[in-house]
Amino acid sequence: GGLALITTFLCYLRPGEAMRLKEADLVRPTPQCSFWAVNLHPSSRGESSKLLLSDESLMLDSSDLLSLGTFLDRQRIGEADQPLFKSMYPNVKKSFEKTQERCGLKNVKYVMYQARHRGPSHDRRHKLRSLVEVKQRGRWVGDSSLRRYEAHARVQQEEGKEILQVQLLVAAAARSLDTMFRAASLLHPAAALPPL
């Protein structure tokens, strides 16, 4: 479930979109493009987005976690029609809620959908993507939807509601996530980065 939430955050996905991904939707890097990608709402399955679009591409190119595609690949079992994330949504949601409890977040209640909005806020606040890039990645049509991602003071207010210890834990985890994933690749050769 953790990889589903991380993917939701980094790709600005709706939780339902993440949970509907199939193994076939994860696209390997090629000599022309060194990043893994996700094909959302494949037309081959007759799927379309909320805006009735199909075959939307998202590159797994977040500088916060460049090895995400490798770890998504590692959990595939080789059957194209199987879910990419093996946990069912209710189990992921329950795990998410239990994690909040373990972290001592009693006064603030988060829902998984917030990851879709926290991702762009994070990327804008840390200048990882331009506003145009955020709009394209989030698949937003209107510019009015983007104003919230420029409200850095509002993000700071929300962070102020969180327990300092949890903020420090999250910040440390975010800084070391890619390093941890890469270290796991060294321990488990099956998870090693594929050759291009």
Side-chain angles (χ1 to χ4, degrees):
L3 277 177
L5 188 60
I6 290 168
T7 304
T8 299
F9 176 84
L10 294 175
C11 294
Y12 315 164
L13 297 176
R14 296 170 184 89
E17 289 175 324
M19 300 310 294
R20 282 192 299 275
L21 288 172
K22 303 288 186 201
E23 289 191 9
D25 301 335
L26 181 63
V27 182
R28 288 184 169 279
T30 66
Q32 294 78 24
C33 181
S34 61
F35 297 110
W36 288 83
V38 172
N39 182 25
L40 282 179
H41 315 292
S43 57
S44 62
R45 291 199 302 262
E47 293 182 14
S48 62
S49 71
K50 184 175 148 180
L51 299 174
L52 304 177
L53 299 172
S54 294
D55 298 315
E56 297 175 282
S57 298
L58 289 173
M59 304 307 290
L60 302 182
D61 61 355
S62 176
S63 60
D64 286 330
L65 189 58
L66 290 172
S67 57
L68 177 61
T70 300
F71 277 85
L72 294 175
D73 182 51
R74 183 176 172 214
Q75 71 177 10
R76 292 198 284 192
I77 59 173
E79 296 183 27
D81 63 339
Q82 289 299 305
L84 182 59
F85 301 108
K86 307 310 180 213
S87 297
M88 301 301 290
Y89 179 77
N91 296 337
V92 174
K93 183 177 180 276
K94 185 182 283 187
S95 176
F96 179 72
E97 290 167 352
K98 283 185 179 181
T99 300
Q100 287 183 70
E101 288 174 22
R102 283 195 303 267
C103 289
L105 293 173
K106 295 177 181 144
N107 298 329
V108 183
K109 189 71 170 172
Y110 294 107
V111 294
M112 287 179 50
Y113 196 92
Q114 286 172 293
R116 172 167 165 77
H117 298 295
R118 281 279 182 132
S121 292
H122 168 81
D123 287 354
R124 286 298 302 138
R125 187 169 179 209
H126 297 283
K127 299 180 180 6
L128 299 175
R129 295 187 196 278
S130 71
L131 200 55
V132 171
E133 290 170 321
V134 164
K135 182 178 180 179
Q136 290 171 340
R137 188 172 190 80
R139 298 160 286 124
W140 287 287
V141 176
D143 290 339
S144 61
S145 301
L146 301 173
R147 286 190 195 114
R148 71 177 72 179
Y149 307 120
E150 295 301 307
H152 305 300
R154 176 76 177 121
V155 172
Q156 284 179 233
Q157 280 180 324
E158 286 300 310
E159 289 174 346
K161 294 178 185 176
E162 298 168 356
I163 298 169
L164 180 59
Q165 182 179 3
V166 173
Q167 288 179 34
L168 295 173
L169 178 66
V170 168
R175 283 191 304 272
S176 63
L177 200 52
D178 195 53
T179 303
M180 289 186 301
F181 273 29
R182 288 186 181 277
S185 293
L186 296 173
L187 295 173
H188 304 284
L193 292 170
L196 294 180

